[in-house]
Amino acid sequence: MTIAKKLLKVSKIRNSEYYDMIEICDELYQKSLENQKFKKLYEIIASDANIKLAYRNIKSNAGGNTPGVDGYTIKDINKLSEEQFIKVAQNKLRNYHPKRVRRVEIPKANGKLRPLGIPTIWDRIIQQCFLQVLEPICEAKFYERSNGFRPNRSVENAMAQCYKMMQMYKLHYVVDVDIKGFFDNVDHGKLMKQLWNIGIQDKRVLQMISKMLKAEIKLSQKEIIKPTKGTPQGGILSPLLANVVLNELDWWVANQWELFPARDFEEIVRKDAKGTNRSAKFAKLKNKSKLKQCFIVRYADDFKIFCPNYHTAQRVMYATKDFLEHRLKLQISEEKSRITNLEKQYSEFLGFKFKVYQKGNK
């Protein structure tokens, strides 16, 4: 993680403490862990403290100086008094209608262009208000090896998990399934159901999120898109929503092997000081079951599934493609999806290449 990102994270924590939002977020997280349902979130989102915290976080973000379709930036918001700012924000929340999203394209490392959607500064503030309240609820439901766009998670965490799979678990076959244009193809109906199942059941809040997803995109003076699917990269809430979509994939893969309920193997699952010793269960499952041994490591829409042999990797690849296409309604890029034997070839992930080498007997 870069020094700038670490400082930004520290400043966000300090801001939350300053506006007394830490206790509220901790309570939301704990209730979500207990599988409670949230039907009165709007009041927290529209509270004075949450709105002031949103302004503070947007102000410390460099993106606040990027104008949307209306040309306004955080500098224009700075001209308002605190009382005026809160009043305008709450008025917008009462009858929320997001403005058009400005589309820009930025170059990628491979020479191609990545489309970004830039909401207006007021829409970004509203999205930040939502993010601060929804994030702790979602965090309690996210899987441990989802690493992208999450508090206290980074590329380093993802790579450390990959090395663990290769070195400790000796899983030398990697399944890569490439999702074609993920952010542009998120199914809105599916996403809303996933938010509901996570516990976000405030209908007013869900309706406002739906409006954000359907906000028109301005490509040029004459060309306007009315999206029926997708969540624009560049929106403050988009990374969280992307993780909500793929959270279902994480748990599905984990339940194929790692979290498979060992009803017939209870006697061999030992307890130690740290909890359940899963190694014994895995050993028994290897010998007594025909399950697909696999572990996922994910960063946003990029993920690796580690397997012990080619046969298992093949089964996992076909099953994963089917799950993504039929369960999550996402398109797969066949030419970019592959199985890699790490003893013979490199695999690329998050800008790194990795491969296993023989070293003595290891």
Side-chain angles (χ1 to χ4, degrees):
M1 185 182 294
T2 63
I3 293 175
K5 283 187 177 180
K6 286 181 180 177
L7 291 174
L8 184 60
K9 184 195 296 184
V10 170
S11 70
K12 285 184 177 180
I13 294 171
R14 285 177 179 168
N15 292 344
S16 296
E17 290 174 342
Y18 183 79
Y19 291 112
D20 296 325
M21 286 295 292
I22 285 285
E23 288 185 10
I24 293 173
C25 291
D26 287 347
E27 185 180 352
L28 291 171
Y29 180 87
Q30 186 58 40
K31 286 182 177 179
S32 184
L33 275 181
E34 296 166 359
N35 293 320
Q36 294 190 33
K37 309 304 178 188
F38 301 89
K39 298 185 178 182
K40 292 185 178 180
L41 291 173
Y42 175 80
E43 290 76 7
I44 304 173
I45 290 170
S47 66
D48 290 10
N50 191 52
I51 290 171
K52 287 189 281 188
L53 176 60
Y55 166 75
R56 196 74 172 258
N57 285 330
I58 292 284
K59 186 180 178 182
S60 60
N61 192 324
N65 294 314
T66 306
V69 293
D70 58 2
Y72 291 116
T73 68
I74 195 67
K75 293 177 182 177
D76 298 290
I77 307 297
N78 293 342
K79 297 174 184 176
L80 300 174
S81 68
E82 185 178 275
E83 187 179 343
Q84 288 173 322
F85 169 73
I86 293 171
K87 188 175 181 180
V88 172
Q90 289 176 338
N91 285 336
K92 287 182 177 294
L93 280 164
R94 282 191 196 97
N95 188 24
Y96 185 60
H97 293 287
K99 291 191 175 181
R100 288 172 177 168
V101 175
R102 182 166 71 93
R103 170 69 65 84
V104 297
E105 293 184 329
I106 60 171
K108 294 167 65 176
N110 60 8
K112 295 182 179 180
L113 296 174
R114 182 192 303 277
L116 283 183
I118 303 175
T120 64
I121 188 64
W122 276 112
D123 285 332
R124 271 175 275 171
I125 288 169
I126 298 299
Q127 287 191 28
Q128 183 66 34
C129 288
F130 273 72
L131 176 68
Q132 290 161 184
V133 175
L134 300 186
E135 189 172 61
I137 297 171
C138 296
E139 274 295 314
K141 299 295 175 64
F142 286 162
Y143 190 56
E144 61 181 308
R145 285 196 297 279
S146 166
N147 300 282
F149 309 119
R150 293 182 61 190
N152 305 316
R153 302 295 180 112
S154 65
V155 171
E156 290 89 342
N157 293 125
M159 295 309 301
Q161 291 163 10
C162 289
Y163 288 131
K164 181 179 180 179
M165 299 302 161
M166 293 185 293
Q167 301 282 51
M168 292 179 63
Y169 291 178
K170 296 180 172 57
L171 302 174
H172 296 165
Y173 284 83
V174 172
V175 174
D176 288 301
V177 178
D178 186 82
I179 303 173
K180 191 182 294 182
F182 170 71
F183 284 92
D184 294 330
N185 289 294
V186 169
D187 184 272
H188 291 173
K190 178 67 180 177
L191 172 56
M192 301 312 289
K193 288 178 185 175
Q194 289 172 318
L195 288 169
W196 181 273
N197 291 335
I198 277 177
I200 300 167
Q201 297 183 3
D202 186 325
K203 293 182 180 179
R204 189 173 182 180
V205 168
L206 292 173
Q207 286 172 354
M208 293 169 76
I209 293 173
S210 180
K211 287 181 181 180
M212 293 175 191
L213 294 171
K214 291 181 171 65
E216 294 182 344
I217 300 172
K218 183 178 180 181
L219 299 181
S220 64
Q221 290 287 36
K222 295 182 179 179
E223 194 173 1
I224 305 295
I225 294 178
K226 294 182 179 180
T228 56
K229 59 182 180 178
T231 174
Q233 285 180 274
I236 286 174
L237 202 57
S238 292
L240 179 67
L241 297 179
N243 275 330
V244 169
V245 173
L246 292 175
N247 184 51
E248 201 170 327
L249 171 69
D250 298 336
W251 287 103
W252 175 78
V253 173
N255 283 316
Q256 300 301 306
W257 173 264
E258 191 174 5
L259 301 180
F260 185 82
R263 297 185 189 90
D264 298 331
F265 312 117
E266 291 291 341
E267 72 280 2
I268 56 84
V269 179
R270 301 188 303 275
K271 292 280 186 176
D272 56 22
K274 296 180 180 178
T276 302
N277 183 346
R278 290 188 291 184
S279 299
K281 185 184 89 169
F282 292 158
K284 197 78 171 180
L285 287 175
K286 282 181 186 178
N287 297 326
K288 299 290 185 179
S289 78
K290 296 182 180 179
L291 297 174
K292 300 183 287 291
Q293 186 183 2
C294 55
F295 296 82
I296 189 170
V297 177
R298 184 170 66 82
Y299 190 98
D301 59 324
D302 291 331
F303 63 91
K304 302 279 182 187
I305 302 178
F306 290 82
C307 303
N309 53 61
Y310 183 75
H311 175 65
T312 302
Q314 268 192 317
R315 293 170 64 204
V316 168
M317 173 171 267
Y318 290 135
T320 305
K321 285 181 179 179
D322 184 73
F323 183 87
L324 289 168
E325 289 177 341
H326 296 101
R327 187 68 177 266
L328 300 186
K329 301 179 182 179
L330 295 169
Q331 299 177 18
I332 305 304
S333 174
E334 294 290 345
E335 60 273 12
K336 293 183 180 179
S337 300
R338 62 179 63 86
I339 296 170
T340 304
N341 180 351
L342 294 175
E343 295 177 14
K344 296 181 179 179
Q345 292 177 299
Y346 288 103
S347 183
E348 294 189 33
F349 190 40
L350 306 174
F352 292 89
K353 288 183 176 181
F354 53 85
K355 182 181 179 182
V356 291
Y357 291 93
Q358 186 75 23
K359 186 178 181 182
N361 294 325
K362 297 181 181 180

